[in-house]
Amino acid sequence: MAGAIVRGMIASGKLSPSDISCACGADDTGEKLSKETGISLLPSLEEIAASSDSIVLACKPQQLAEVASQMGGASPRILVSILAGTTISNLRKRFPRAKKIVRVMPNMPAQISMGISCYAPESELDPDERATVESVLSAIGEFMPVDENKLDAVTALSGSGPGYLFEFAAAMINAGEQLGFTREEAKKLTSATLLGSATLLDRSNLEADELCAAVSSPGGTTLAALEVFKKNNFRKTVSDALKAAAKRSRELSQL
C-alpha cells in the first residue's frame, strides 16, 4: 500500500520523487521501492522522523511498537496512519509530538489509483492540513471523511472488500472452467462482467436490489442462480463475514 501511495502521488504530479523519502525494516521493500520510483531510501526510521514534514505510517499494526520506539521523537505537521484497527489515541501515545494525526483506511485498488479511502482526523483539519491529506488520498482514488468510530466498519466493508470480490471472482472462474471454458476465457468473462456491473452500479440511479431485479426475468437463468444463493443464505454469509472482519479490526486496536 505504501508503494501504491508513492506511485500515485508521483503519477498525479502532486509530488516529485525528490519530495519523498522512505525507510523500512529488515527487508528489501524500501530498496525496491526506491529503485522503482526514484524516491530516497533513508538508512533509518530516525532519519525519517528527523527530516519529514508529513509522515505516512504503512507498517503492520504488530510492528507499531518497534517503529514508534525508533520514531517516537518525530514531530511531523501531519502523521497519517493506514494501520488497521490502530486508534488515534494509541497513535498519540506513541507519537506525542506529532502536530496532527489522521487515520486512513485505503483499499487494494489504490494500486491502480482506483481505490476508495476513508479518513478520520484527530481534530478538525485546517485548510492546509486538509489539502495535504486529500492530495495524498486523491492520488490513489476517491476519498471520504468519516468519524473514527466508523473505521472498523470501513475496514470490513471497503478495506477488506476487494478480497471478497476476488474470492467471488475465483469461484466464478472455476465454475466457468467446469462449464467448458478455458481458464483464460473464464477469467476474461468474469473480470469484464464484474467491472461492467460495478460501473453500472456506480452510475445508475437504481439501488443494487433494483438492478438485481431488472436482470432477473421470471423463470429465467439469473433467477435460477439467485435462488441457489438465497437457499444457501448468501446475504447472511456476507453479513457474517463483514462482522468478523470488523471484530478483527477492533481486536487489532488492543495490540
Side-chain angles (χ1 to χ4, degrees):
M1 190 59 68
I5 292 172
V6 168
R7 293 182 182 90
M9 288 191 296
I10 294 173
S12 71
K14 298 179 186 297
L15 292 174
S16 66
S18 61
D19 296 318
I20 306 172
S21 300
C22 70
C24 67
D27 55 45
D28 61 353
T29 53
E31 182 179 1
K32 287 181 178 178
L33 184 60
S34 175
K35 288 180 178 179
E36 291 170 1
T37 62
I39 69 172
S40 299
L41 173 63
L42 298 185
S44 69
L45 293 172
E46 288 90 342
E47 290 198 37
I48 287 284
S51 63
S52 302
D53 174 71
S54 301
I55 294 175
V56 177
L57 285 178
C59 61
K60 296 178 181 178
Q62 296 88 337
Q63 297 172 314
L64 177 60
E66 180 183 355
V67 169
S69 70
Q70 298 180 52
M71 295 180 61
S75 55
R77 183 170 60 92
I78 298 177
L79 177 72
V80 174
S81 168
I82 65 170
L83 277 62
T86 305
T87 64
I88 290 174
S89 63
N90 190 0
L91 292 164
R92 173 53 67 191
K93 292 175 185 176
R94 304 283 189 177
F95 298 93
R97 297 178 60 191
K99 305 295 189 300
K100 189 68 63 74
I101 295 174
V102 180
R103 276 187 67 189
V104 175
M105 176 46 60
N107 66 2
M108 193 175 182
Q111 294 181 8
I112 56 171
S113 298
M114 292 184 67
I116 177 74
S117 302
C118 290
Y119 72 91
E122 180 178 27
S123 57
E124 185 174 357
L125 301 175
D126 67 33
D128 286 342
E129 292 168 339
R130 183 177 297 106
T132 296
V133 172
E134 294 186 352
S135 70
V136 171
L137 300 184
S138 65
I140 56 174
E142 300 183 57
F143 58 85
M144 59 185 287
V146 298
D147 293 333
E148 188 185 11
N149 61 15
K150 290 185 177 179
L151 281 179
D152 290 324
V154 168
T155 301
L157 183 58
S158 60
S160 299
Y164 317 150
L165 290 185
F166 295 145
E167 175 67 16
F168 188 72
M172 288 185 67
I173 292 168
N174 290 341
E177 288 187 284
Q178 293 170 17
L179 291 171
F181 293 105
T182 66
R183 190 161 189 84
E184 182 178 353
E185 291 170 337
K187 181 179 178 181
K188 181 175 180 62
L189 287 167
T190 298
S191 61
T193 299
L194 292 177
L195 178 60
S197 300
T199 303
L200 178 58
L201 176 62
D202 182 57
R203 295 180 182 177
S204 176
N205 293 324
L206 298 177
E207 296 291 332
D209 278 332
E210 293 174 309
L211 289 169
C212 191
V215 75
S216 305
S217 303
T221 59
T222 304
L223 193 59
L226 292 176
E227 285 296 328
V228 175
F229 286 161
K230 184 177 180 180
K231 179 180 178 181
N232 287 278
N233 292 319
F234 178 72
R235 291 197 181 191
K236 183 179 185 302
T237 298
V238 173
S239 177
D240 289 346
L242 267 68
K243 289 175 182 176
K247 179 176 181 289
R248 181 55 181 159
S249 180
R250 291 190 294 271
E251 290 171 350
L252 289 173
S253 70
Q254 305 304 313
L255 294 178

